[in-house]
Amino acid sequence: MGRKRTKSGKIRLAEVAELAGVSPITASRFFRNPEALSVAKRTRVESAARELGYVPNLAARALASQRTEVIGVLIPSLTNNVFSDVLRGIYDASEGSRYSIQLSNTRYSILQEEKLLRLFLAQKPAGLIITGIDQTAESRAMLEAADCPIVQIMEIGPNPVDMMIGFSHYDAARAAIRHLFDQGHRRIGFVGARMDPRVQRRLDGYVAAMKDAGLFDQRLIVTTATPTSVTLGGALFADLLAREPDIDAVFCANDDLALGVLFECRRRDVAVPDQIAIVGFNDLEFMASAVPTLTSVRTNRYEMGSTAAAMLIEAIEGKRPERPVLDLGFTVIERQSSLMQRQPGGLRTAEWSPAAQNDSVTNEP
Amino acid sequence: MGRKRTKSGKIRLAEVAELAGVSPITASRFFRNPEALSVAKRTRVESAARELGYVPNLAARALASQRTEVIGVLIPSLTNNVFSDVLRGIYDASEGSRYSIQLSNTRYSILQEEKLLRLFLAQKPAGLIITGIDQTAESRAMLEAADCPIVQIMEIGPNPVDMMIGFSHYDAARAAIRHLFDQGHRRIGFVGARMDPRVQRRLDGYVAAMKDAGLFDQRLIVTTATPTSVTLGGALFADLLAREPDIDAVFCANDDLALGVLFECRRRDVAVPDQIAIVGFNDLEFMASAVPTLTSVRTNRYEMGSTAAAMLIEAIEGKRPERPVLDLGFTVIERQSSLMQRQPGGLRTAEWSPAAQNDSVTNEP
DNA sequence: AGGAACGTTGACAGCGCTACCAGCAACGAC
DNA sequence: GTCGTTGCTGGTAGCGCTGTCAACGTTCCT
């Protein structure tokens, strides 16, 4: 009776084919492209597979077809809330598809990223999602030589490797500062941590806005390479306040820092927003709940992840998007921490959509 | 000249072997068990591999060896901070090993878990990390039949499938309540969300502690199946307070809820801890930074992840741990939000270590 | 009616690696 | 000196699947 089963007792494609009364290759096609089969054989194979509880062997498939059904994802941090939202989007969008996610953590190092990229590409992934637009020259070359679709996420920039989805951190920061100007603030501090490329571009946006208004002062900027935390936000703000007691607002490069600043204000009995206005970045869930509620720049992180994965899967399957670069925009969510006169509703938003926009404050260099 | 290269231009093991002047199988052994080679051949293969930039084809390896070098990880949520810490531990511990992590999200559904488990096991993972001790009977059967090491994480219970690492949520909750008793609180509310099995066991611990003290009152408990959030913490607390205005403390099933409660207190001008004491669970970073600082039960999440992965890898390689069940314990971090008289140092801790412990409050049923 | 075009199916030959077993030299025990 | 025994190396034969191409009807066009 030949070898009916492998020693491990697993059902092979050949068994399914035999039960269905077709050749193995026909059974194989059923799983990859059912439309190519006649209805009769399709149902036969389907019921045979179900009856035997067949599960394809992905290793054999990968070896024979010279490609895997793995989407590689490179992100800089697993701890950061921002990435957990993005990841959730990626996993949600890939669920139900044939593709599985292979995740790796670059720890904010582009050298580590290069190393992981080499590893990933050697396994011929079906597609790749990478964070940001700052890769080493070597990484860039590998990406360009890769024969799979690639999506860069988190921000947009001039030279996409392939597809790109994100928003302008520079513009978002400028919009936040403009909001503070609108509320009458002039001595606006900047608090930033980690200082990865995207935080750096937020700083650039802040600097540009301040310079445009003739209000730039280097001493208003406090940054550190240390990873971000709520506690750190409080500490950096304390430093800033000690040095520049006349500041009237703080723009924080992320919401954890903003929460830390809020707590530090409370600790020092500094009134928010009357003495110090606070603006954060990302609009994490707690911002709406804090007392006072905290203004932040909402970024569409979940959508970034899910859209990136969806675009990637489409591209893998040959349907390339009409526009390879997608700007998801951002929204300044104005809340109590930065509004000088309370609004009746308590919430105003200044949305910035990338499509139809002619706004001098956010778009000028 | 035979086929020197595959069409894709990739270096194969055979090329490395040829350059090194050994047989392919010897080259293969170099990558799996270098000690089995003579020093001369070892160095020859090593330099040949380096020179050609050889990267093994994992699909072929998996197919030939009938096993993969993949560690499957099943967690219920990607959003929850708790799991991002655990995950970081897992990824850190697996880095540098030959194993790669395959992550899937059960979304707190044991049916989804069962489905994913079936998928994972079909690919013969090298090992498996699963969350919690509540699996379907079907899942349980599959796990017991699986021929790979398995670690259950996040909590400990009576019947490990294989290895287990975590702590007693029940005991941790009791320790938190005991701390509140010590501080003179009697009408202690419970605020919980999502109500997954571990939160449920925290509730059980709370109930047991309250009953033991003769202080149990069903009306002190507010729970919901809704996913947790800071905002939700405030809302649940508002409900509780409306119904039971005489409460003097709240034990929150997690720190997000606790932060929400703190904000709600601030919103209502309820003094913390003088009118209401607050205790959270997990000791996320912001708890130490809040105003007042928030008491919480510290859980060793990163260690749980890293130790689980390390144990698993050891077990995969044949070195099974002496004790398959590891209790990582917890620590009640006492901070301002629950201390009736301020301590000079501002921080006291009541550590509970699983090893040498004879504490009636935490260990009685 | 002849032929092209299409849809459907199957035979064959690997994909790149490792399990298994055999072979060979060097060594020590009797 | 013979016989294991050990350490290292290589040959053979797949692992389970799919790419390629050829072959077979069937339909449709001219």
PDB file of all heavy atoms in Angstrom, chain B residues 115-132:
ATOM      1  N   LYS B 115      -8.324  27.496  17.649  1.00  0.00           N
ATOM      2  CA  LYS B 115      -8.135  27.538  16.191  1.00  0.00           C
ATOM      3  C   LYS B 115      -6.663  27.814  15.850  1.00  0.00           C
ATOM      4  O   LYS B 115      -6.064  27.138  15.005  1.00  0.00           O
ATOM      5  CB  LYS B 115      -9.027  28.650  15.630  1.00  0.00           C
ATOM      6  CG  LYS B 115      -9.338  28.551  14.154  1.00  0.00           C
ATOM      7  CD  LYS B 115     -10.207  29.731  13.709  1.00  0.00           C
ATOM      8  CE  LYS B 115      -9.548  30.521  12.607  1.00  0.00           C
ATOM      9  NZ  LYS B 115     -10.066  31.897  12.473  1.00  0.00           N
ATOM     10  N   LEU B 116      -6.102  28.798  16.538  1.00  0.00           N
ATOM     11  CA  LEU B 116      -4.710  29.162  16.274  1.00  0.00           C
ATOM     12  C   LEU B 116      -3.764  28.035  16.668  1.00  0.00           C
ATOM     13  O   LEU B 116      -2.769  27.769  16.007  1.00  0.00           O
ATOM     14  CB  LEU B 116      -4.356  30.444  17.029  1.00  0.00           C
ATOM     15  CG  LEU B 116      -5.056  31.698  16.522  1.00  0.00           C
ATOM     16  CD1 LEU B 116      -4.862  32.857  17.493  1.00  0.00           C
ATOM     17  CD2 LEU B 116      -4.529  32.075  15.144  1.00  0.00           C
ATOM     18  N   LEU B 117      -4.099  27.382  17.742  1.00  0.00           N
ATOM     19  CA  LEU B 117      -3.293  26.280  18.231  1.00  0.00           C
ATOM     20  C   LEU B 117      -3.216  25.172  17.186  1.00  0.00           C
ATOM     21  O   LEU B 117      -2.151  24.616  16.905  1.00  0.00           O
ATOM     22  CB  LEU B 117      -3.946  25.739  19.505  1.00  0.00           C
ATOM     23  CG  LEU B 117      -3.078  25.139  20.576  1.00  0.00           C
ATOM     24  CD1 LEU B 117      -1.859  26.006  20.835  1.00  0.00           C
ATOM     25  CD2 LEU B 117      -3.897  25.011  21.859  1.00  0.00           C
ATOM     26  N   ARG B 118      -4.354  24.883  16.620  1.00  0.00           N
ATOM     27  CA  ARG B 118      -4.415  23.848  15.580  1.00  0.00           C
ATOM     28  C   ARG B 118      -3.495  24.236  14.413  1.00  0.00           C
ATOM     29  O   ARG B 118      -2.719  23.412  13.911  1.00  0.00           O
ATOM     30  CB  ARG B 118      -5.866  23.730  15.093  1.00  0.00           C
ATOM     31  CG  ARG B 118      -6.216  22.395  14.449  1.00  0.00           C
ATOM     32  CD  ARG B 118      -7.656  22.398  13.957  1.00  0.00           C
ATOM     33  NE  ARG B 118      -8.631  22.796  14.953  1.00  0.00           N
ATOM     34  CZ  ARG B 118      -9.087  21.989  15.917  1.00  0.00           C
ATOM     35  NH1 ARG B 118      -8.651  20.748  15.984  1.00  0.00           N
ATOM     36  NH2 ARG B 118      -9.970  22.428  16.796  1.00  0.00           N
ATOM     37  N   LEU B 119      -3.589  25.491  14.040  1.00  0.00           N
ATOM     38  CA  LEU B 119      -2.762  26.017  12.951  1.00  0.00           C
ATOM     39  C   LEU B 119      -1.276  25.901  13.282  1.00  0.00           C
ATOM     40  O   LEU B 119      -0.474  25.450  12.474  1.00  0.00           O
ATOM     41  CB  LEU B 119      -3.122  27.494  12.755  1.00  0.00           C
ATOM     42  CG  LEU B 119      -3.219  28.000  11.335  1.00  0.00           C
ATOM     43  CD1 LEU B 119      -4.394  27.346  10.637  1.00  0.00           C
ATOM     44  CD2 LEU B 119      -3.380  29.504  11.339  1.00  0.00           C
ATOM     45  N   PHE B 120      -0.943  26.311  14.484  1.00  0.00           N
ATOM     46  CA  PHE B 120       0.456  26.301  14.911  1.00  0.00           C
ATOM     47  C   PHE B 120       0.997  24.882  14.946  1.00  0.00           C
ATOM     48  O   PHE B 120       2.072  24.603  14.418  1.00  0.00           O
ATOM     49  CB  PHE B 120       0.571  26.906  16.309  1.00  0.00           C
ATOM     50  CG  PHE B 120       0.793  28.381  16.316  1.00  0.00           C
ATOM     51  CD1 PHE B 120       0.201  29.196  15.357  1.00  0.00           C
ATOM     52  CD2 PHE B 120       1.584  28.969  17.278  1.00  0.00           C
ATOM     53  CE1 PHE B 120       0.405  30.557  15.355  1.00  0.00           C
ATOM     54  CE2 PHE B 120       1.795  30.340  17.289  1.00  0.00           C
ATOM     55  CZ  PHE B 120       1.204  31.134  16.335  1.00  0.00           C
ATOM     56  N   LEU B 121       0.266  24.011  15.588  1.00  0.00           N
ATOM     57  CA  LEU B 121       0.772  22.654  15.802  1.00  0.00           C
ATOM     58  C   LEU B 121       0.976  21.929  14.478  1.00  0.00           C
ATOM     59  O   LEU B 121       1.857  21.080  14.356  1.00  0.00           O
ATOM     60  CB  LEU B 121      -0.173  21.883  16.719  1.00  0.00           C
ATOM     61  CG  LEU B 121      -0.105  22.332  18.175  1.00  0.00           C
ATOM     62  CD1 LEU B 121      -1.200  21.680  19.000  1.00  0.00           C
ATOM     63  CD2 LEU B 121       1.262  22.007  18.778  1.00  0.00           C
ATOM     64  N   ALA B 122       0.150  22.289  13.485  1.00  0.00           N
ATOM     65  CA  ALA B 122       0.295  21.647  12.180  1.00  0.00           C
ATOM     66  C   ALA B 122       1.661  21.938  11.568  1.00  0.00           C
ATOM     67  O   ALA B 122       2.154  21.186  10.756  1.00  0.00           O
ATOM     68  CB  ALA B 122      -0.801  22.116  11.245  1.00  0.00           C
ATOM     69  N   GLN B 123       2.260  23.055  11.971  1.00  0.00           N
ATOM     70  CA  GLN B 123       3.571  23.402  11.419  1.00  0.00           C
ATOM     71  C   GLN B 123       4.705  22.897  12.296  1.00  0.00           C
ATOM     72  O   GLN B 123       5.851  23.295  12.097  1.00  0.00           O
ATOM     73  CB  GLN B 123       3.682  24.914  11.199  1.00  0.00           C
ATOM     74  CG  GLN B 123       2.603  25.507  10.323  1.00  0.00           C
ATOM     75  CD  GLN B 123       2.399  24.773   9.003  1.00  0.00           C
ATOM     76  OE1 GLN B 123       3.353  24.279   8.421  1.00  0.00           O
ATOM     77  NE2 GLN B 123       1.157  24.668   8.546  1.00  0.00           N
ATOM     78  N   LYS B 124       4.372  22.050  13.256  1.00  0.00           N
ATOM     79  CA  LYS B 124       5.403  21.476  14.124  1.00  0.00           C
ATOM     80  C   LYS B 124       6.361  22.519  14.685  1.00  0.00           C
ATOM     81  O   LYS B 124       7.544  22.542  14.344  1.00  0.00           O
ATOM     82  CB  LYS B 124       6.229  20.433  13.363  1.00  0.00           C
ATOM     83  CG  LYS B 124       5.450  19.248  12.890  1.00  0.00           C
ATOM     84  CD  LYS B 124       6.413  18.245  12.286  1.00  0.00           C
ATOM     85  CE  LYS B 124       5.674  17.150  11.577  1.00  0.00           C
ATOM     86  NZ  LYS B 124       4.992  16.249  12.499  1.00  0.00           N
ATOM     87  N   PRO B 125       5.869  23.375  15.543  1.00  0.00           N
ATOM     88  CA  PRO B 125       6.759  24.371  16.125  1.00  0.00           C
ATOM     89  C   PRO B 125       7.770  23.694  17.054  1.00  0.00           C
ATOM     90  O   PRO B 125       7.540  22.577  17.507  1.00  0.00           O
ATOM     91  CB  PRO B 125       5.807  25.257  16.930  1.00  0.00           C
ATOM     92  CG  PRO B 125       4.672  24.366  17.293  1.00  0.00           C
ATOM     93  CD  PRO B 125       4.522  23.424  16.134  1.00  0.00           C
ATOM     94  N   ALA B 126       8.875  24.388  17.274  1.00  0.00           N
ATOM     95  CA  ALA B 126       9.882  23.850  18.199  1.00  0.00           C
ATOM     96  C   ALA B 126       9.377  23.950  19.634  1.00  0.00           C
ATOM     97  O   ALA B 126       9.740  23.137  20.481  1.00  0.00           O
ATOM     98  CB  ALA B 126      11.179  24.626  18.034  1.00  0.00           C
ATOM     99  N   GLY B 127       8.546  24.942  19.890  1.00  0.00           N
ATOM    100  CA  GLY B 127       8.012  25.147  21.236  1.00  0.00           C
ATOM    101  C   GLY B 127       6.833  26.092  21.177  1.00  0.00           C
ATOM    102  O   GLY B 127       6.566  26.706  20.138  1.00  0.00           O
ATOM    103  N   LEU B 128       6.145  26.208  22.294  1.00  0.00           N
ATOM    104  CA  LEU B 128       4.925  26.996  22.323  1.00  0.00           C
ATOM    105  C   LEU B 128       4.839  27.753  23.646  1.00  0.00           C
ATOM    106  O   LEU B 128       5.138  27.195  24.709  1.00  0.00           O
ATOM    107  CB  LEU B 128       3.747  26.034  22.219  1.00  0.00           C
ATOM    108  CG  LEU B 128       2.625  26.268  21.216  1.00  0.00           C
ATOM    109  CD1 LEU B 128       3.117  26.774  19.888  1.00  0.00           C
ATOM    110  CD2 LEU B 128       1.824  24.987  21.040  1.00  0.00           C
ATOM    111  N   ILE B 129       4.441  29.004  23.562  1.00  0.00           N
ATOM    112  CA  ILE B 129       4.159  29.786  24.761  1.00  0.00           C
ATOM    113  C   ILE B 129       2.695  30.192  24.689  1.00  0.00           C
ATOM    114  O   ILE B 129       2.277  30.809  23.702  1.00  0.00           O
ATOM    115  CB  ILE B 129       5.058  31.035  24.857  1.00  0.00           C
ATOM    116  CG1 ILE B 129       6.525  30.622  25.013  1.00  0.00           C
ATOM    117  CG2 ILE B 129       4.625  31.931  26.019  1.00  0.00           C
ATOM    118  CD1 ILE B 129       7.503  31.798  25.043  1.00  0.00           C
ATOM    119  N   ILE B 130       1.923  29.827  25.678  1.00  0.00           N
ATOM    120  CA  ILE B 130       0.512  30.200  25.654  1.00  0.00           C
ATOM    121  C   ILE B 130       0.152  30.927  26.939  1.00  0.00           C
ATOM    122  O   ILE B 130       0.811  30.770  27.965  1.00  0.00           O
ATOM    123  CB  ILE B 130      -0.412  28.978  25.475  1.00  0.00           C
ATOM    124  CG1 ILE B 130      -0.186  27.971  26.596  1.00  0.00           C
ATOM    125  CG2 ILE B 130      -0.182  28.326  24.123  1.00  0.00           C
ATOM    126  CD1 ILE B 130      -1.143  26.807  26.533  1.00  0.00           C
ATOM    127  N   THR B 131      -0.874  31.721  26.846  1.00  0.00           N
ATOM    128  CA  THR B 131      -1.252  32.578  27.967  1.00  0.00           C
ATOM    129  C   THR B 131      -2.303  31.897  28.827  1.00  0.00           C
ATOM    130  O   THR B 131      -3.341  31.473  28.318  1.00  0.00           O
ATOM    131  CB  THR B 131      -1.801  33.908  27.441  1.00  0.00           C
ATOM    132  OG1 THR B 131      -0.816  34.515  26.616  1.00  0.00           O
ATOM    133  CG2 THR B 131      -2.158  34.836  28.590  1.00  0.00           C
ATOM    134  N   GLY B 132      -2.015  31.819  30.100  1.00  0.00           N
ATOM    135  CA  GLY B 132      -3.037  31.406  31.047  1.00  0.00           C
ATOM    136  C   GLY B 132      -3.243  29.912  31.123  1.00  0.00           C
ATOM    137  O   GLY B 132      -2.554  29.116  30.465  1.00  0.00           O
TER     138      GLY B 132
END
